[in-house]
Amino acid sequence: EVQLLESGGDLVHPGGSLRLSCAASGFTFNNYAIHWVRQAPGKGLEWVSTIGGGGAHTYYAASVKGRFTISRDNSNNTVFLQMDTLRVEDTALYFCAKDRRQNPVFYGSGTSDDWGQGTLVTVSS
Amino acid sequence: DIQMTQSPSSLSASVGDSVTITCRASQNIATYLNWYRQTLGEAPNLLIYSASTLQTGVSSRFSGSGSGTDFTLTISSLQPDDFATYFCQQSFGTPFTFGPGTTVDIK
């Protein structure tokens, strides 16, 4: 059974930093891209970032590029989202999700078939 | 970036009804279109990918169609769990944009 468990969400001041983790199990981790998707309170879904299975290829939304960094540790089946220079508008529930298609290099299919339950990031003074 | 729109933004229906939700892309995305359902407080759940392919384990009451810029999701015989918010998403290329969502609530 595929499982994804996010952690690291917290209350942080504007300009601060956080590192989110996504621990995965139940599949051949390094064969799949992992996506981060966020949802501001009462709002819709926003794709944030994707990392290919091997970790060499990363992709970012314009709203976070230059502030967020995605990485992965394939020996420990974990993906990270380093979030720097946080803004009030980054407040959201952050989900990690597994790509539907095996692709150890690029972003896979761009489709998320298994999701974690999310971790809450609140940016407020 | 590819913009996604959905209509209606909300609708009311009864258990047993059939409903159709529309999603439109700002440019041709072939069939790179996914549908997700999200109930309150839960993570999204993939229903359909590649515009019309049912995800494993998803009820055949859900069906998708379309290509290019116009897509539809049809839910037949609504069940209590189907009262939720539905999002389309394009996977043609990054950024993988979502539609704003359509909320289906009980009439």
Side-chain angles (χ1 to χ4, degrees):
Chain A
E1 178 194 5
V2 172
Q3 291 192 329
L4 297 155
L5 182 63
E6 304 92 338
S7 62
D10 205 346
L11 170 63
V12 63
H13 293 307
S17 297
L18 276 178
R19 188 171 87 149
L20 305 185
S21 299
C22 171
S25 61
F27 61 101
T28 306
F29 184 70
N30 61 359
N31 280 358
Y32 290 88
I34 299 292
H35 309 284
W36 285 98
V37 174
R38 69 185 180 184
Q39 188 168 37
K43 302 296 185 183
L45 301 170
E46 179 187 13
W47 171 79
V48 173
S49 183
T50 297
I51 186 165
H57 294 270
T58 58
Y59 310 84
Y60 298 94
S63 58
V64 307
K65 193 166 188 177
R67 301 188 298 121
F68 290 11
T69 303
I70 192 171
S71 61
R72 63 193 296 160
D73 177 354
N74 284 348
S75 62
N76 287 299
N77 288 10
T78 304
V79 169
F80 304 100
L81 187 68
Q82 176 66 40
M83 309 164 67
D84 297 319
T85 320
L86 281 161
R87 304 169 179 167
V88 170
E89 54 265 36
D90 295 318
T91 294
L93 186 63
Y94 284 72
F95 297 100
C96 67
K98 168 189 156 292
D99 195 85
R100 181 185 63 79
R101 191 171 68 202
Q102 288 197 64
N103 185 321
V105 180
F106 300 111
Y107 60 62
S109 67
T111 304
S112 299
D113 62 351
D114 289 286
W115 297 63
Q117 287 305 301
T119 187
L120 182 62
V121 172
T122 303
V123 185
S124 174
S125 53
Chain B
D1 296 357
I2 300 170
Q3 309 303 317
M4 307 300 294
T5 58
Q6 288 181 235
S7 61
S9 57
S10 65
L11 64 92
S12 296
S14 301
V15 172
D17 286 351
S18 290
V19 299
T20 296
I21 299 168
T22 297
C23 176
R24 177 165 288 174
S26 62
Q27 67 184 69
N28 187 339
I29 59 169
T31 57
Y32 291 93
L33 192 282
N34 310 308
W35 289 100
Y36 300 87
R37 174 179 66 182
Q38 187 180 33
T39 52
L40 200 61
E42 299 289 323
N45 180 46
L46 177 65
L47 300 173
I48 286 170
Y49 62 92
S50 300
S52 61
T53 304
L54 201 63
Q55 170 68 355
T56 302
V58 173
S59 170
S60 58
R61 297 182 296 99
F62 293 91
S63 62
S65 65
S67 66
T69 60
D70 294 317
F71 303 87
T72 59
L73 172 70
T74 299
I75 313 169
S76 62
S77 187
L78 275 169
Q79 299 300 299
D81 280 353
D82 299 335
F83 294 97
T85 300
Y86 294 83
F87 296 95
C88 61
Q89 179 208 25
Q90 65 81 16
S91 51
F92 184 81
T94 61
F96 298 125
T97 40
F98 289 86
T102 295
T103 299
V104 178
D105 60 27
I106 299 176
K107 187 184 293 183

